[in-house]
């Protein structure tokens, strides 16, 4: 059976030479839709926060962000469950590292160059290691990558311990820990950038953990088409409960949707149409879109071209979709090159590099937990506008001249 290649948001990236008929087009489209949901939410919430126009936020509310992130995490969990037993732990981790960091650094660097503020980079934040609140995350979405990197290091350690064929037991135990943590530590569930000791009990991880169970649940025949109705029903309940429970609800809906997608593979008959090809491409480019969209949305609203509210919103959706194209092309080309290099490297080299990354990750996380990372850097700039970030976001994306101070707010259903 053909195995696809996963990316940082839990996505499978297929070589250009592969026949599109062998793609799981449903999964491609789901990734594209998940990225679009997050874009629609941020375009709407920042329009409300910066211009006061709330009409779009009443439609594309926090549920779009919740389910978008949950789908990405569920896909990631599913793909890791498929891949981990079939590859050595060293290359598994290195594949994840070369998937996450290169395009992240490229997008971040390009943003800092546009602003001519290279000296403002927060090195603690750039590590993508969970170091707690108070750092500056310039793209406004890096918090999910802190969970991704921790998830991959955790699976790497499980593989080293010989547990890669026991993922269903690990996932089940983790889901119990998450559920208990969600109710026992409800006040911390809205913290998007926790220190590493809090991360395992965060409810957002439920999509990762349950995603690890999808292959086994699929083999049992659980994912029947009728469950799509149940998934939608569960999703509609999101926003009714506390923030942590809403995360669990979104994760349950995401698991059903991803399970249905991977259980009902759609093979294209003949050449796919234009819409199918566009959806396929944006599935491949969804990580790049996710990384670049928030600063672009904020920049458009701050520039405030002479357009009505609906025109600004449409522009804020269209521009990231276009900018994501070159980033997505670079992203996939770079990943294929680096992954091929990892595959060609000797086992000794792979083990050394993976060990160095793990040691770095543990050292940074431990330092942040034991000694903290110090005060948030004070940026010297003239404030022109100071929009309030969506609740529980730790920083407004860059291009905002004077970001608001990091804050921890009460749980809110309108946070992705």
């Amino acid at each position: 059976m053909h195995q696809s290649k996963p990316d940082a948001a839990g996505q499978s990236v297929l070589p250009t030479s592969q026949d599109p008929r062998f793609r799981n087009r449903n999964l491609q489209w789901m990734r594209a839709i998940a990225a679009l949901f997050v874009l629609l939410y941020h375009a709407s919430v920042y329009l409300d926060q910066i211009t006061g126009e709330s009409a779009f936020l009443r439609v594309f509310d926090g549920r779009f962000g919740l389910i978008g992130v949950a789908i990405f995490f569920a896909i990631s969990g599913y793909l890791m469950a498929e891949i981990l037993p079939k590859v050595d732990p060293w290359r598994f981790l290195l594949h994840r590292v070369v998937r996450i960091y290169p395009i992240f650094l490229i997008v971040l660097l390009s943003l800092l160059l546009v602003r001519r503020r290279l000296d403002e980079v927060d090195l603690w934040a750039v590590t993508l290691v969970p170091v707690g609140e108070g750092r500056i995350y310039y793209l406004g979405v890096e918090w999910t990558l802190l969970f991704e990197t921790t998830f991959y290091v955790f699976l790497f350690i499980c593989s080293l311990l010989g547990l890669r064929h026991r993922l269903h037991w690990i996932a089940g135990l983790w889901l119990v820990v998450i559920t208990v943590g969600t109710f026992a530590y409800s006040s911390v569930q809205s913290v998007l950038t926790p220190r590493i000791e809090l991360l395992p009990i965060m409810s957002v991880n439920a999509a990762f953990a349950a995603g690890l169970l999808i292959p086994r649940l699929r083999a049992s025949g659980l994912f029947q088409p009728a469950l799509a109705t149940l998934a939608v029903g569960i999703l509609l309940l999101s926003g009714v409960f506390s923030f942590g429970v809403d995360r669990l609800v979104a994760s349950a809906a995401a698991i059903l949707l991803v399970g249905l997608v991977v259980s009902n593979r759609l093979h294209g008959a003949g050449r796919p149409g234009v819409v199918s090809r566009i959806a396929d491409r944006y599935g491949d480019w969804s990580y790049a879109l996710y990384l670049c969209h928030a600063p672009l949305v904020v920049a458009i609203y701050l520039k405030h071209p002479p357009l009505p509210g609906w025109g600004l919103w449409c522009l804020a959706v269209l521009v990231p979709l276009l900018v994501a194209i070159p980033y997505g092309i670079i992203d996939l080309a770079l990943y294929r090159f680096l992954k091929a290099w990892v595959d060609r490297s000797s086992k000794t080299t792979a083990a050394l590099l993976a060990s160095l990354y793990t040691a770095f990750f543990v050292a940074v996380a431990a330092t942040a937990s034991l000694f903290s990372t110090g005060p948030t850097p004070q940026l010297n700039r003239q404030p022109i506008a100071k929009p309030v970030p969506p609740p529980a976001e730790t920083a407004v994306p860059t291009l905002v001249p004077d970001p608001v101070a990091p804050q921890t707010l009460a749980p809110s259903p309108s946070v992705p």
Side-chain angles (χ1 to χ4, degrees):
M1 179 184 296
H2 170 77
Q3 296 298 320
S4 56
K5 306 174 185 178
D7 68 11
Q11 310 175 56
S12 59
V13 179
L14 301 169
T16 11
S17 59
Q18 183 173 311
D19 189 332
R21 290 175 300 175
F22 290 95
R23 284 176 178 262
N24 187 334
R25 186 158 286 120
N26 286 349
L27 193 59
Q28 287 285 95
W29 294 353
M30 175 156 281
R31 289 163 35 214
I33 290 170
L36 181 61
F37 276 10
V38 176
L39 169 59
L40 292 174
Y41 168 67
H42 280 147
S44 303
V45 75
Y46 284 125
L47 183 67
D48 176 50
Q49 299 289 355
I50 297 174
T51 73
E53 172 60 65
S54 60
F56 287 96
L57 184 57
R58 287 195 291 269
V59 178
F60 302 107
D61 59 17
R63 285 174 293 188
F64 280 75
L66 284 168
I67 191 61
V69 169
I71 286 173
F72 275 135
F73 283 6
I75 292 174
S76 185
Y78 160 69
L79 288 174
M80 296 310 103
E82 293 280 15
I83 291 167
L84 189 65
K86 302 169 185 175
V87 64
D88 71 74
W90 318 106
R91 287 186 173 83
F92 167 81
L93 183 59
L94 290 181
H95 288 164
R96 308 280 47 79
V97 169
V98 300
R99 188 66 192 91
I100 294 177
Y101 285 92
I103 190 60
F104 161 69
L105 295 174
I106 288 172
V107 173
L108 176 61
L109 180 61
S110 64
L111 192 60
L112 292 171
L113 285 173
V114 166
R115 299 185 62 244
R116 300 179 183 178
R117 295 285 188 175
L118 285 173
D119 57 323
E120 291 180 357
V121 64
D122 185 339
L123 293 179
W124 286 101
V126 171
T127 65
L128 299 182
V129 176
V131 295
E133 297 180 278
R135 309 318 307 174
I136 297 176
Y137 293 95
Y138 285 92
L139 304 183
V141 296
E142 292 95 327
W143 70 271
T144 59
L145 301 183
L146 310 182
F147 286 83
E148 289 272 2
T149 55
T150 306
F151 180 58
Y152 297 143
V153 170
F154 170 67
L155 290 181
F156 165 71
I157 293 172
C158 288
S159 184
L160 283 182
L161 295 175
L163 300 174
R164 55 184 174 176
H165 295 290
R166 298 288 184 269
L167 290 181
H168 56 289
W169 291 108
I170 294 170
L173 179 60
W174 193 12
L175 282 172
V176 171
V177 170
I178 290 169
T179 303
V180 172
T182 298
F183 291 96
Y185 299 93
S186 58
S187 61
V188 305
Q189 297 302 323
S190 61
V191 178
L192 297 191
T193 58
R195 291 194 303 269
I196 197 162
E197 65 267 22
L198 288 178
L199 191 142
I201 65 170
M202 304 296 284
S203 57
V204 70
N205 287 308
F208 277 136
L212 293 172
L213 294 172
I214 289 178
R216 182 165 287 258
L217 295 175
R218 178 182 60 183
S220 71
L222 173 69
F223 298 112
Q224 299 300 319
L227 284 181
T229 303
L230 177 60
V232 173
I234 291 174
L235 182 56
L236 291 176
L237 291 175
S238 177
V240 174
F241 308 102
S242 67
F243 184 62
V245 176
D246 278 344
R247 289 281 194 199
L248 295 181
V249 170
S251 296
I255 291 304
L256 290 177
L257 292 172
V258 174
L260 287 167
V261 160
V262 300
S263 302
N264 297 276
R265 191 179 182 91
L266 175 64
H267 296 283
R271 183 176 176 80
V274 174
V275 174
S276 296
R277 293 200 299 273
I278 291 174
D280 287 345
R281 295 286 73 76
Y282 273 102
D284 286 338
W285 301 333
S286 55
Y287 180 40
L289 174 61
Y290 183 73
L291 289 175
C292 75
H293 78 275
L296 292 169
V297 168
V298 170
I300 289 167
Y301 292 153
L302 288 178
K303 294 295 183 182
H304 209 305
L307 294 170
W310 65 267
L312 274 177
W313 184 86
C314 290
L315 190 64
V317 171
L318 180 61
V319 169
L321 288 173
L322 294 176
V323 172
I325 295 174
Y327 277 133
I329 292 171
I330 293 169
D331 175 30
L332 296 187
L334 191 57
Y335 172 62
R336 288 166 183 160
F337 172 80
L338 292 173
K339 183 178 183 298
W341 176 80
V342 169
D343 291 338
R344 290 194 305 269
S345 63
S346 67
K347 186 174 182 179
T348 301
T349 300
L352 175 62
L353 293 176
S355 299
L356 287 174
Y357 175 77
T358 305
F360 166 78
F361 184 96
V362 171
V364 171
T367 300
S369 291
L370 296 174
F371 308 107
S372 85
T373 60
T376 304
Q378 296 300 311
L379 303 183
N380 261 333
R381 31 185 166 177
Q382 296 298 321
I384 344 182
K386 189 185 282 188
V388 180
E393 296 244 5
T394 55
V396 178
T398 7
L399 297 185
V400 176
D402 186 24
V404 297
Q407 54 186 308
T408 303
L409 304 180
S412 164
S414 61
V415 185

